[in-house]
Amino acid sequence: MAVLVSRIKAMLFLLFLPSFCSGQPAPPPLRFSIFLEPSNMVYLRWDHDKQEMMTFELQVHTTGWVAFGFSPHGELPGSDIVIGGVFPNGSIYFSVS
């Protein structure tokens, strides 16, 4: 698993929010999961296939937006950040930086 984490920056990340909102079939089940903090408000699920393509699902109790980052050393400099949320009118936004 450590090898996969170190190669995260080179992998394509798939988020399934658009398929959930569009009524398309649900993605396959994800084998790994963890709550990321003690109050169980942030739940991460993930999996990878034989080609080391990783899929992530992040479930967060939030007021309308969430940010999630990946880095080779657990620090902000050099990290890849995903930001997404819902505007008051119900439209969804998603950004990768």
Side-chain angles (χ1 to χ4, degrees):
M1 187 65 178
V3 172
L4 291 175
V5 172
S6 68
R7 295 179 61 188
I8 283 179
K9 287 186 75 169
M11 295 179 189
L12 174 65
F13 298 101
L14 301 175
L15 296 178
F16 291 103
L17 184 58
S19 67
F20 291 138
C21 296
S22 68
Q24 294 182 7
L30 304 176
R31 295 179 292 167
F32 309 102
S33 64
I34 189 169
F35 283 100
L36 297 180
E37 42 71 62
S39 63
N40 294 342
M41 301 284 282
V42 181
Y43 184 60
L44 176 65
R45 296 177 56 209
W46 72 97
D47 206 343
H48 60 89
D49 62 17
K50 292 178 183 178
Q51 292 79 32
E52 295 187 358
M53 175 76 68
M54 294 191 76
T55 302
F56 292 92
E57 176 184 301
L58 188 63
Q59 297 177 10
V60 182
H61 293 275
T62 180
T63 58
W65 68 275
V66 66
F68 191 74
F70 302 92
S71 77
H73 304 292
E75 299 174 353
L76 187 57
S79 65
D80 295 318
I81 300 173
V82 178
I83 301 170
V86 180
F87 287 115
N89 67 2
S91 63
I92 297 169
Y93 65 91
F94 177 75
S95 174
V96 178
S97 61

